[in-house]
Amino acid sequence: MKTTRTGWIAFGAALVLLPLLLQYMGNFWVRIADVALLYVLLALGLNIVVGFAGLLDLGFVAFFAIGAYMYGLMASPHLSETFAWFARLFPTGLHTSIWLVVPLGAFIAGVLGILLGAPTLKLRGDYLAIVTLGFGEIIRVFLNNLDHPVNITNGPKGLNQIDSIRILGLNLGRPLEIGDYTLSAVTLYYYFFLILVVLSVVICHRLELSRIGRAWMAIREDEIAAKAMGINTRNMKLMAFGMGATFGGVSGAMFAAFQGFVSPESFSLMESVMIVAMVVLGGIGHLPGVILGAVLLSAMPEVLRWVSGVFDLQRLTDGRLDASILRQLLIALAMIIVMLLRPRGLWPTPEHGKSLPTPAGK
Amino acid sequence: MEILLQQIINGLVLGSMYALVALGYTMVYGIINLINFAHGEVLMVGALTSWAIIVQMQEAMPGVPGWIILLVAMIISCVVAAALNFVIEKVAYRPLRNSPKLAPLITAIGMSILLQTLAMIIFKPNYKPYPTLLPAAPIQFGGAVITPTQIMILGLTAVSLAVLMYLVNYTKLGRAMRATAENPRVAALMGVRPDMVISATFIIGAVLATIAGIMYASNYGTVQHTMGFLPGLKAFTAAVFGGIGNLAGAVVGGILLGLIESIGSGYIGVLTGGVLGSHYSDIFAFIVLIIMLTLRPSGLLGERVADRA
């Protein structure tokens, strides 16, 4: 017992110290850690839907997009620049406080999650996957085209000049100086995201152990049996969609604030697929596994980008192989090889899938 | 009226392409319950291979008529794509046949990214013009226009469908396929070798996808390594729309989807007074799909099975 506790303390200390070390090597590395934490948040959200409740959702990035655009519209000059009446009401633009944005983002995404989930409740497995994929695409097409007749999303150009997060008088977008020591903006974001991730892990863990979580897992393992045991499968599924979407919405808002810019490009189907891959690759339904998967798949590409930059791959291979191509190649290979060697994921939960039917017998 | 006729022709052309790709999805799904996410990439590989062959042949043998070049290119690229799909199944899907359902889905997605990346490395990322090998002069009728390429597409679809229907309904292999789709274990007890049937299914799917890819390339005039993604997605939608696992459903779903998309994008501007333009065309497929599946979760021609997926 004692060793595990010291282990946890050491792990926590390492997480707190990590950006300070990375900062020495350059803000680029801290940025990677920030992005990895954002993906952990997203993957935790999707894990509620796919891992806990067993609903394959291929359109999860839609909620990420909704959160991001919501914050983008509320914290950038776009609306004031476009609409005269809006500029009259808020001459300097709407610079919404984070205390309003996060709950609102969570709420809107959650409600949309339930709304999108409702018509799909009758569907199972792969049908559900394709419908959620359709929803994701529809939202992306709208984000891409809602720049006319009324310019709401600014189309493919996206929204820029989004405010950074200000919390308790601290602007995370500016470096903080404590005496002689400077904490860079990305490091501040790191701590902020870390707090969010820890909070989410606690929420997810409590959910997993709660009555709701057990009901979800019952549905995942055998829906008919779960229904027979008196579980209200409809409400439980809607709740899973809603809660998963909440996470997506919050991380979307964080993403927008962190980047200062959002465009439809960030919310492609490929992005949804990558989040599913994180959850499955790590170990579906198992929190440490999901976190591992998210960190690996989000940080690996950036590290590879650095590696191929150092070795100047582009020159070595006559322009055919550059960092982004190499990264795609390796991610694809990793997805295939990991699944072939460990079909239950890198760090699977001991219980999950005990009663999964073998695909051979329908 | 002319617009409608024209959109119907375009819709049929688009739809027959979706139908051929959808058949590949639906056959694989019907037999091993796997969404083969790499299927759109097989289409892309087929189209790019045919492009490379056509360009080479045009340079090496200037006098040869276009349709011969096209035919040769089609045959060779069908063989290449079939071999590729055979290997994909063997390497990435077969070892996972008894694993949790999501594992082969992830390898399929991985395969799709891998093929795209390899194609980009081999063929470079730029758009390449796809040579027009058939006479370009369009044929007028009833106020609408149809090009020889489009006639070829419709004809090829009809021939491919006829061959496939014969194969599935009247040959030994077809019977084995239907038996395996029905119940792999019992089929195996009856002397069918499921592994062989599955390989054959992947090969047939690849041939159909390649034909569709060549049609797509000839119709739009360009090829590129990302060209498989959208048709793959739409064709999968078509397969689900028609009732996944059902061959006739895939054809009906594909053609309906093509018609809906092309008529929808032809009229959306008129209907909404120019507010929404044809760039919304990509979402018709999904909106129709969602409405459809809400009303009839098993798809248009799918069996009403309570527990299918």
Side-chain angles (χ1 to χ4, degrees):
Chain A
M1 197 58 215
K2 195 133 198 184
T3 46
T4 50
R5 187 176 297 164
T6 29
W8 275 111
I9 291 170
F11 183 61
L15 277 182
V16 171
L17 290 176
L18 180 72
L20 303 178
L21 287 174
L22 290 178
Q23 218 179 289
Y24 278 110
M25 296 161 65
N27 281 337
F28 168 75
W29 293 96
V30 193
R31 211 180 160 75
I32 295 177
D34 290 0
V35 173
L37 285 175
L38 268 179
Y39 275 107
V40 170
L41 268 184
L42 271 177
L44 284 172
L46 185 65
N47 184 50
I48 293 180
V49 188
V50 185
F52 290 170
L55 304 161
L56 179 53
D57 184 349
L58 286 182
F60 189 68
V61 82
F63 306 117
F64 188 45
I66 288 165
Y69 268 87
M70 188 208 67
Y71 186 71
L73 288 175
M74 285 171 64
S76 79
H78 175 71
L79 284 179
S80 307
E81 276 168 11
T82 325
F83 302 110
W85 59 267
F86 199 88
R88 272 200 298 280
L89 284 175
F90 304 97
T92 53
L94 198 63
H95 299 283
T96 325
S97 150
I98 192 76
W99 301 110
L100 181 64
V101 168
V102 171
L104 197 65
F107 177 74
I108 293 180
V111 168
L112 275 168
I114 292 174
L115 281 182
L116 298 192
T120 63
L121 281 178
K122 280 196 280 178
L123 308 172
R124 308 173 63 99
D126 302 336
Y127 285 94
L128 181 68
I130 189 72
V131 170
T132 50
L133 185 157
F135 275 131
E137 282 296 286
I138 290 173
I139 288 194
R140 195 183 56 79
V141 170
F142 272 106
L143 292 180
N144 224 342
N145 292 311
L146 271 185
D147 51 347
H148 64 90
V150 193
N151 186 354
I152 299 171
T153 63
N154 211 17
K157 289 191 291 294
L159 302 173
N160 50 24
Q161 291 177 281
I162 299 174
D163 298 345
S164 51
I165 291 176
R166 277 156 304 152
I167 192 165
L168 304 174
L170 178 68
N171 187 342
L172 296 186
R174 294 216 187 87
L176 176 70
E177 281 174 30
I178 307 171
D180 289 339
Y181 196 76
T182 313
L183 282 177
S184 62
V186 275
T187 309
L188 293 177
Y189 268 108
Y190 175 92
Y191 287 122
F192 183 57
F193 290 166
L194 187 66
I195 293 169
L196 280 178
V197 165
V198 171
L199 205 68
S200 309
V201 170
V202 173
I203 293 173
C204 282
H205 185 63
R206 302 304 298 178
L207 266 179
E208 195 180 358
L209 300 178
S210 71
R211 212 163 54 85
I212 298 168
R214 281 175 286 139
W216 282 338
M217 272 162 249
I219 295 174
R220 176 187 76 197
E221 299 296 314
D222 191 333
E223 190 176 338
I224 295 167
K227 213 172 197 162
M229 298 304 288
I231 291 171
N232 186 335
T233 51
R234 187 196 59 195
N235 289 0
M236 283 297 146
K237 282 181 175 182
L238 283 181
M239 201 180 261
F241 270 121
M243 293 212 170
T246 304
F247 277 77
V250 172
S251 29
M254 297 300 117
F255 173 77
F258 177 63
Q259 298 276 332
F261 169 72
V262 287
S263 76
E265 248 176 72
S266 315
F267 311 107
S268 63
L269 173 66
M270 208 50 225
E271 219 37 42
S272 276
V273 164
M274 282 312 261
I275 307 168
V276 174
M278 287 168 186
V279 173
V280 178
L281 209 66
I284 186 163
H286 191 219
L287 294 178
V290 169
I291 295 171
L292 175 74
V295 170
L296 273 184
L297 270 191
S298 56
M300 192 175 77
E302 302 305 321
V303 176
L304 286 174
R305 194 201 298 272
W306 177 78
V307 169
S308 58
V310 167
F311 291 106
D312 203 1
L313 265 178
Q314 210 159 353
R315 205 166 41 85
L316 282 178
T317 55
D318 189 25
R320 275 174 193 263
L321 210 61
D322 67 11
S324 63
I325 301 180
L326 178 77
R327 136 195 175 180
Q328 267 196 53
L329 204 61
L330 289 175
I331 286 182
L333 282 174
M335 284 164 88
I336 297 170
I337 294 169
V338 169
M339 278 298 115
L340 287 178
L341 298 178
R342 296 189 71 100
R344 285 182 192 282
L346 287 170
W347 193 348
T349 148
E351 289 100 41
H352 175 64
K354 261 186 192 159
S355 66
L356 274 188
T358 45
K362 276 197 263 183
Chain B
M1 225 28 225
E2 282 102 62
I3 309 177
L4 182 64
L5 190 62
Q6 187 66 55
Q7 294 302 342
I8 289 178
I9 294 172
N10 295 346
L12 281 177
V13 169
L14 194 64
S16 51
M17 198 197 69
Y18 290 157
L20 289 184
V21 187
L23 279 168
Y25 278 109
T26 223
M27 283 193 296
V28 166
Y29 191 88
I31 292 182
I32 52 175
N33 278 342
L34 162 77
I35 307 177
N36 182 7
F37 264 106
H39 197 60
E41 268 57 56
V42 174
L43 173 150
M44 174 270 294
V45 170
L48 274 175
T49 316
S50 74
W51 169 81
I53 295 167
I54 290 171
V55 170
Q56 291 295 319
M57 278 180 75
Q58 275 186 328
E59 212 166 282
M61 305 173 253
V64 182
W67 65 272
I68 295 186
I69 296 185
L70 196 60
L71 195 67
V72 173
M74 194 174 282
I75 292 171
I76 300 178
S77 39
C78 279
V79 173
V80 171
L84 176 75
N85 220 14
F86 176 77
V87 174
I88 291 177
E89 193 273 328
K90 237 180 173 149
V91 173
Y93 305 156
R94 184 163 301 180
L96 294 174
R97 206 146 308 142
N98 293 313
S99 306
K101 218 175 161 331
L102 280 175
L105 187 77
I106 299 298
T107 52
I109 292 168
M111 239 341 146
S112 148
I113 305 174
L114 184 70
L115 289 178
Q116 252 189 50
T117 318
L118 288 178
M120 176 160 64
I121 296 171
I122 296 169
F123 292 100
K124 300 269 173 91
N126 56 330
Y127 279 94
K128 289 161 272 284
Y130 198 82
T132 336
L133 293 164
L134 298 175
I139 298 156
Q140 299 268 353
F141 78 98
V145 173
I146 188 165
T147 63
T149 308
Q150 288 177 320
I151 295 175
M152 172 200 80
I153 292 176
L154 294 176
L156 257 178
T157 307
V159 172
S160 317
L161 287 182
V163 171
L164 183 76
M165 287 306 154
Y166 173 77
L167 196 81
V168 171
N169 287 320
Y170 298 103
T171 62
K172 217 173 151 189
L173 174 67
R175 212 178 313 146
M177 281 170 69
R178 280 180 289 144
T180 317
E182 200 66 45
N183 190 328
R185 273 183 219 164
V186 177
L189 290 175
M190 296 295 153
V192 173
R193 286 165 57 196
D195 277 350
M196 243 185 63
V197 172
I198 292 165
S199 291
T201 309
F202 273 85
I203 289 173
I204 298 170
V207 170
L208 294 175
T210 306
I211 296 174
I214 292 174
M215 291 172 172
Y216 197 77
S218 324
N219 200 29
Y220 291 101
T222 54
V223 282
Q224 203 225 4
H225 66 279
T226 55
M227 67 178 281
F229 175 73
L230 211 54
L233 197 61
K234 299 273 181 64
F236 179 64
T237 309
V240 175
F241 186 53
I244 197 158
N246 183 314
L247 294 190
V251 177
V252 173
I255 290 177
L256 272 183
L257 201 67
L259 285 173
I260 290 168
E261 205 175 301
S262 120
I263 294 175
S265 59
Y267 281 94
I268 184 169
V270 184
L271 284 179
T272 56
V275 172
L276 301 176
S278 59
H279 39 259
Y280 280 94
S281 76
D282 284 345
I283 63 175
F284 288 113
F286 299 113
I287 290 178
V288 170
L289 177 86
I290 290 165
I291 296 170
M292 164 83 206
L293 284 183
T294 330
L295 299 176
R296 204 185 140 83
S298 50
L300 212 52
L301 300 181
E303 322 149 45
R304 278 196 175 268
V305 183
D307 194 334
R308 185 151 181 126

